Amino acid sequence: MSSRTHYRICSLCEACCGLEIRTEGPQVVSIRGAEHDVFSRGFICPKGASLKDLHEDPDRLRTPLIKRDGQFVEATWDEAFAEIERRLLPVLREHGPDSVAAVAGNPSAHKISLLAYFPRLVKALGTRNIFSASTLDQMPKQLSSGLMFGHWLSIPVPDIERCDWLLILGANPMVSNGSLWTVPDYRGKAKAMRARGGRITVIDPRRNETAAAADEHVFIKPGGDVFLLLGMVNTLFSEGLVRPGRLAEHLNGLEALRAAVQGFTPEKMASGCGIAADIQRRLARELAAAKAGAVYGRIGTCTQRHGTLNSWLVDVLNVLSGHLDAPGGMMFPKAAAFAANTAGKPGSGKGVSTGRRHSRVSGAPEVFGELPITLLAEEIESTGEGQVRALISLAANPVLSAPNGARLSRALDQLDFMLSLDIYLNETSRHADVILPGLSPLEDMHYDMAFPQLSFRNHARFSEPVFERPEGQPEEWETLLRLAALVEGRGVNVDVKALDDAAIAADVKRFAGDQADGVMRALGEQRGPERLIDLALRSGPYGDRFGLKPEGISLAKIKAAPGGIDLGALQPRIPELLRTPSGRIELAPPLLLDELAQLTMPEASNGLLLIGRRDMRSGNSWMHNLPVLAKGPQRCTLLIHPDEAAKRHLTDGTMARLTTATGSIVVPVSLCTDMGPGVVSLPHGWGHDLPGARLQLAAQRPGANMNALLAEGLRDPLSGNAVLSGVPVEVCAI
C-alpha cells in the first residue's frame, strides 16, 4: 500500500489546528501538528490525534437508520427519505410550519456543509421554533457585541502576541485554546508574553490550569462577575482613569454610563463578588496603566444570571481604558470570507434587535433568530396552536447538554416525528424515528466559516478530504438541500445540482448584480460549499474581485498554498467595522441599562455552589467514545476543597450525592485545594448510562450528568442563555 501525507484542519474544537496526517491505503498511520501551518505552526492537542479514532469508531453511523417497532434498522437513503416524507409532511400540512422545531448542536459550527446549508433548510421550513447550543454557551456575548458594535459576531479577542497585561475571567484557554477566541497553543503564547515582561491575572472560582500558569489568581464567588466588573468600571470613572483615546469620537452614551454605574462602588460590590474593594481598585488601575492591556471573559461569565451584563461590562472596561481596537488590546479579526462586518457599507448599519417574536409558552424573546434551548421541552409538552409536534436535530445532544435533560427526554418521546442528522446514536438521537449519518471529518473537505472571525491572527486555510467518501453516501450539504426541497413539497426525487445552482445564483446576484452571469462563469464547475467559499473569498476584503485585483486571494490560491495564507496581525478596525445605526460604539444600550437598574445583591449563602469545568479531552459528549481521549483517569469527578469535604465526611475517592430541587446524582469525590471556599465543580457532557444509546466505550465509564441538577427555568433574561454556574447544591456522603 502506498504511503501518503495529507494536510488537514482539525474540526474538533475552536483552536482549528493544522494537522499532518500520514496514511497507508485506507488506514491512518499517524497524526501530528503541521509545522508549515501558517496559523497553528505545529501545535496539536489530544483531540487532533483522536480523528483516527473517530474515523474508525465502530459506533459511528455509516448508513441511515429507521425505527421500526421501537428498534432501529438499517435502511437505504431512498428508504429514509421516503419515511421522512411519509411522517413529516403530514405534520406540516395539518399543523403548520411552527409545529416543526429545528435544533443545532455546536459540531455544526465546525462543518461548512452544516453551517452554510442548515439555514436553507430552516428557511424552507418557515418555523419560528429554532434552537441551538448557543443559548448554552455564548449568546450573552453575541447579544452584547451586537448592541455595542452592530453585529452579533463583531466580537473582539485578545491580541495576545502584543499584549502586556491580560485579565481573564471565567475562561480556561490553557485547556480550551480559546473560546470565542481561536488561539492554538495558548500555553506557548502566554509563556512568551510573560517572558517579555507581560502579566496575566485570572479571576475564577477555581484555580484552574490557566490560573496555575498565570502571575496571579483571584478567587471569585460564582455568579459574582457582574459585581467585580461594576466595581472596576466605577473605579475608572471615580478616579479619573477613563481614557478611551482615539475611540472618544466614536462613542455614544459615555455620560449615561457614568451615571448608571455611579452607585456601584467597589466597597458595595465586595460582598457580591467576594473580592475585596482594594483588589477591585488595583485591577482597574493596572488596566488603566497598562501600555497594551486586555480584559477577556468567556463561558464562565456567560453561563450565569447576568451573562449579558458581564459580556457588556468586559468590553466597557476595554473601551474606557483605551485598549479596545488597539494593538495588544482587544481587537477585531478581519476574516477573509463570510464575515458580515466586512460586507456592505462600512461604519454604520441596521444594528441588531431582539424580541421580534416570543416563545409560545414562557414568552421568552427571540435573540439572533433563536429561542432558548431550555424551552424546547415545554414547547413540545404544551398543547394548543403552535405546539411543537416534530423535531429536526442537527448534530445536537441536548438531553445531555441542556438543563433537566430528563424532562426533555420524556418530551421527545411525545413527538409525532423526529429526524436526527448525526454520526452517533446518542442520548438524544435515540429518540429519533430516522437518523441520517454524516461523513467522517476525514471524508470531507474543510474551511472554517466562523472561527477566522474570532482568530488571534488573520488567515485563510483549506483542506481537502483525506479519504474518498463511501460510495452512495451523499455529502451533507446535498442531504440538507434535499430535505429543504422535501419540506417545500417538491418530493424526494429532486435534482440536487439544480437546487445548488439556484441557491448560489441568488448569492451571486446579491454580490454582482448585472455582472452575475460573468461571476457564475468564473466560479466554473465547482459545486456546493467549494463554490460558496470561492465566491466569499473572491468578494471578500482580501479577494481578487474576479480579476479586478489580481493580487487578491481565491480558493484556487489557498489550495495551492499548503498550510494556508497568512493575512497578518490584527489591525484597528473602528469605525469601519461598526454596523450600528449611529455609526458609533453604543456604550449604554437602553436594554442593558434597564437590566442594570434592576440588579440586586445576592443573598448570603452558607451552602455550596456548583460550577462546571472544561477538560481538554472531552469538549463534546461523543468524545468520551474515542479511545485516545477516554483513556487515563476518571474525569467525571466532584472537585471539592478538603475542608469542605471534611465537614461532610467525604474523603478522596468516596461517593457523594449532589441534590437540587431539580434532581440528584451520585459522583466520586476528588479532593482539590484549588477549589475556592464554598465551591464544588463537575465537568459537562457526561451521563452515558441511558438505555438505547450506542456509545459502547463511553458507557463503560458513563459519569454523571451535571445538567440533571439544573433547572431549565434559570436563564439570563436578556439573551435567554441557560444558567449553568453558581447553582446552590447539597452535597452529602452516601
Side-chain angles (χ1 to χ4, degrees), residues 167-233:
L167 180 66
I168 297 175
L169 298 96
N172 195 4
M174 191 72 78
V175 168
S176 68
N177 286 293
S179 180
L180 293 183
W181 178 28
T182 297
V183 55
D185 192 20
Y186 166 84
R187 179 191 297 273
K189 293 174 178 61
K191 184 177 180 181
M193 176 183 164
R194 295 179 70 199
R196 63 177 183 264
R199 180 175 176 82
I200 300 174
T201 298
V202 175
I203 311 290
D204 202 275
R206 176 172 74 97
R207 188 173 182 268
N208 61 27
E209 292 85 348
T210 302
D215 297 278
E216 180 184 16
H217 170 243
V218 179
F219 286 113
I220 189 171
K221 285 184 180 179
D225 299 68
V226 67
F227 304 107
L228 166 65
L229 293 166
L230 282 167
M232 292 178 65
V233 172

Side-chain angles (χ1 to χ4, degrees), residues 227-284:
F227 304 107
L228 166 65
L229 293 166
L230 282 167
M232 292 178 65
V233 172
N234 178 278
T235 298
L236 293 181
F237 277 115
S238 64
E239 298 189 5
L241 300 175
V242 173
R243 303 186 186 101
R246 72 172 187 86
L247 294 187
E249 62 182 292
H250 303 296
L251 301 181
N252 261 355
L254 182 62
E255 293 309 312
L257 176 65
R258 184 195 304 271
V261 302
Q262 187 173 6
F264 296 100
T265 65
E267 288 73 19
K268 291 181 180 178
M269 298 298 98
S271 64
C273 62
I275 299 175
D278 62 333
I279 296 178
Q280 298 178 53
R281 292 188 183 278
R282 173 176 62 80
L283 292 173

Side-chain angles (χ1 to χ4, degrees), residues 650-662:
L650 295 169
T651 58
D652 200 55
T654 60
M655 304 301 289
R657 182 178 301 279
L658 280 67
T659 306
T660 66
T662 302

Side-chain angles (χ1 to χ4, degrees), residues 484-494 499:
L486 178 63
V487 300
E488 289 175 338
R490 301 193 220 177
V492 295
N493 297 313
V494 293
L499 295 176

